[in-house]
Amino acid sequence: MARTPIRTCVACRQAEGKRGLVRVVRLPEGAGVALDATGKAAGRGAYVHASSECIELAVKRKALERSLKASLPDTLLEELRALAI
């Protein structure tokens, strides 16, 4: 029986299975920040729930920027908001 990886949402700080969260990754060598649909991209990652409340809270608190130690482009914020439930 496989163990389910547990990750924590940077906005609401609730732990959940990795599949229930969206991963945002800072790509290596300063290549930028992107959404990671596969969950396996190389680089520093941060997780957030796909709910509009958690996404807006993460943007307001700058939790993703702090966690990734990089600024988020506006296009990424639009993509995150489009994923919101």
Side-chain angles (χ1 to χ4, degrees):
M1 189 166 160
R3 193 183 88 215
T4 304
I6 302 296
R7 301 292 183 259
T8 302
C9 174
V10 295
C12 66
R13 307 299 299 163
Q14 289 184 348
E16 189 173 323
K18 186 176 176 180
R19 299 286 177 203
L21 300 166
V22 176
R23 183 172 188 240
V24 181
V25 64
R26 183 187 72 205
L27 302 170
E29 304 299 325
V33 178
L35 286 178
D36 180 15
T38 64
K40 296 180 182 183
R44 181 175 184 87
Y47 294 85
V48 66
H49 283 111
S51 69
S52 58
E53 295 87 19
C54 280
I55 291 171
E56 291 305 320
L57 189 59
V59 171
K60 180 181 173 186
R61 290 183 182 169
K62 298 187 179 199
L64 285 170
E65 292 176 350
R66 191 175 327 112
S67 191
L68 296 172
K69 299 176 182 164
S71 60
L72 301 179
D74 293 334
T75 55
L76 180 73
L77 294 176
E78 291 172 13
E79 289 178 43
L80 274 172
R81 289 181 175 127
L83 287 175
I85 298 171

